[in-house]
Amino acid sequence: MSLALVCMSHSPLLEFNDPPADVKAEVEDAFATARSFVHDYDPTLVVSFAPDHYNGFFYDLMPPFCIGYEALGVGDYGTTAGPLDVPTPIAEQLAAWVADHDLDVAISRKMEIDHGAIQPLEILFGGIDEVPTIPVFVNGVAKPFVKMSRVRRLGEAIGSFLATLHGERVLVVGSGGLSHDPPVPQWATADDAQRALLLDGRHPTAAARDARQQRVIDTGKAFAAGTATIQDLNPVWDRALMRTLATGDLSPIDAMTPEQMALDAGNSAHEVRTWVAAFAALGQAGPYDVLSSCYRPIREYIAGFGVMTARTS
Ligand SMILES: O=C(O)CCc1cccc(O)c1O
Ligand SMILES: [Fe+2]
């Protein structure tokens, strides 16, 4: 059975900071291309690989991966809040299949998800419950990180399950990255208030959420103006990774270490785990072709911004 894929960077700053008009138009074009690809494929099921940014997953219980049996958007950065349309029986079968393939994955019957998972659904489908969607959390911000080979194997296990669903047209989505270093607090360097958030900061007050988000928005403006202290984007690294993903041979990615990834591409570059899982899943249906691939480093969005579509050959 064939599969289709969309991988895209996300950035909550899409709605808050504006890059130059030609750059914005290029991003809009890339989204339009991905939308028309998805429209033509007409998926009956979406499997979304996405990170979280301490909105749904916290250090009181931080799994490397989690399959959602039910899920709801938390509504950060103005994204849609409320329930997704998760096909629970299929999600349960998926989790059982993955366990049977020697991978230890958490499950959630009430997964809370943020812009990382919501933004691609809104961009591609115009809403979060338009197409049945199984959300798969892939930790991309909270140390420790499992090996990249483990991420690839998770993607392969999920893809091998999806390839058995003969009645469905499945789209896998990867959300995040590429190189970027937005001001997400890290446990090791966090102050007491930040640690409280990282530990169990669920359901903040509107004022607390606004303050946190404003800091990210302001950092994006400062980054574009050349006055931010965050790590710069790395277009060479981003393009190299996109090239590797396009080849269909993901084995070189196994050698990437979290430490080197952070040094080369910033602390949130770990979000590319979602792309690796999505491409590994796609590869389980056989060889694939990349149909579109766009990339721009965009400081206003604090993101090496890429969009790729691909399909089983
Ligand atoms: O609010 C946050 O915690 C981080 C927001 C954020 C900013 C830029 C690029 C991203 O991928 C991203 O997630
Ligand atoms: Fe992110």
Side-chain angles (χ1 to χ4, degrees):
M1 206 198 81
S2 64
L3 295 169
L5 166 146
V6 174
C7 282
M8 51 188 281
S9 303
H10 60 244
S11 171
L13 306 182
L14 283 176
E15 308 297 334
F16 295 94
N17 291 344
D18 276 336
D22 60 319
V23 176
K24 202 173 159 69
E26 227 176 282
V27 172
E28 279 310 320
D29 270 4
F31 289 162
T33 300
R35 259 195 298 271
S36 99
F37 169 77
V38 168
H39 182 264
D40 291 348
Y41 182 67
D42 192 19
T44 57
L45 175 66
V46 173
V47 173
S48 145
F49 296 97
D52 175 73
H53 313 74
Y54 300 106
N55 289 300
F57 290 87
F58 297 85
Y59 272 121
D60 57 0
L61 204 172
M62 181 62 74
F65 308 117
C66 183
I67 294 173
Y69 289 2
E70 298 282 352
L72 38 136
V74 301
D76 64 321
Y77 291 101
T79 55
T80 311
L84 273 66
D85 176 14
V86 184
T88 306
I90 304 177
E92 289 172 342
Q93 288 167 28
L94 171 63
W97 175 282
V98 168
D100 200 42
H101 287 69
D102 282 334
L103 289 154
D104 313 312
V105 174
I107 62 98
S108 171
R109 290 193 183 274
K110 191 183 177 187
M111 196 158 121
E112 299 199 5
I113 60 183
D114 70 7
H115 69 274
I118 297 291
Q119 190 169 74
L121 299 179
E122 290 184 330
I123 288 170
L124 297 174
F125 302 110
I128 64 173
D129 58 0
E130 299 293 320
V131 181
T133 297
I134 301 174
V136 180
F137 164 70
V138 178
N139 176 20
V141 291
K143 288 177 184 166
F145 297 107
V146 296
K147 291 183 185 177
M148 294 303 283
S149 55
R150 201 70 176 169
V151 177
R152 176 176 54 74
R153 285 186 49 205
L154 174 81
E156 288 170 357
I158 290 178
S160 68
F161 171 79
L162 300 177
T164 69
L165 299 179
H166 291 289
E168 309 274 0
R169 290 182 301 279
V170 185
L171 174 74
V172 294
V173 172
S175 172
L178 298 154
S179 64
H180 64 314
D181 191 35
V184 181
Q186 300 218 41
W187 186 266
T189 50
D191 62 25
D192 286 350
Q194 289 172 324
R195 282 194 173 180
L197 161 75
L198 300 183
L199 184 64
D200 58 2
R202 289 176 189 82
H203 311 146
T205 63
R209 188 182 290 298
D210 282 352
R212 184 177 159 199
Q213 295 181 174
Q214 194 58 50
R215 180 164 159 258
V216 177
I217 295 165
D218 292 344
T219 302
K221 295 190 199 297
F223 193 32
T227 58
T229 54
I230 60 173
Q231 192 170 321
D232 206 356
L233 307 175
N234 187 340
V236 172
W237 189 92
D238 292 339
R239 289 200 168 97
L241 183 69
M242 289 170 78
R243 263 197 309 276
T244 301
L245 293 167
T247 65
D249 174 12
L250 306 188
S251 58
I253 293 171
D254 286 4
M256 296 172 78
T257 66
E259 295 73 25
Q260 194 62 45
M261 290 167 75
L263 285 172
D264 290 341
N267 287 307
S268 287
H270 305 299
E271 289 186 351
V272 300
R273 290 164 178 263
T274 63
W275 292 50
V276 172
F279 271 96
L282 174 66
Q284 290 299 293
Y288 55 78
D289 300 311
V290 169
L291 301 185
S292 68
S293 184
C294 300
Y295 176 78
R296 271 272 197 166
I298 306 178
R299 290 206 181 111
E300 288 82 352
Y301 295 161
I302 320 185
F305 210 92
V307 182
M308 290 177 85
T309 64
R311 219 186 140 153
T312 306
S313 303

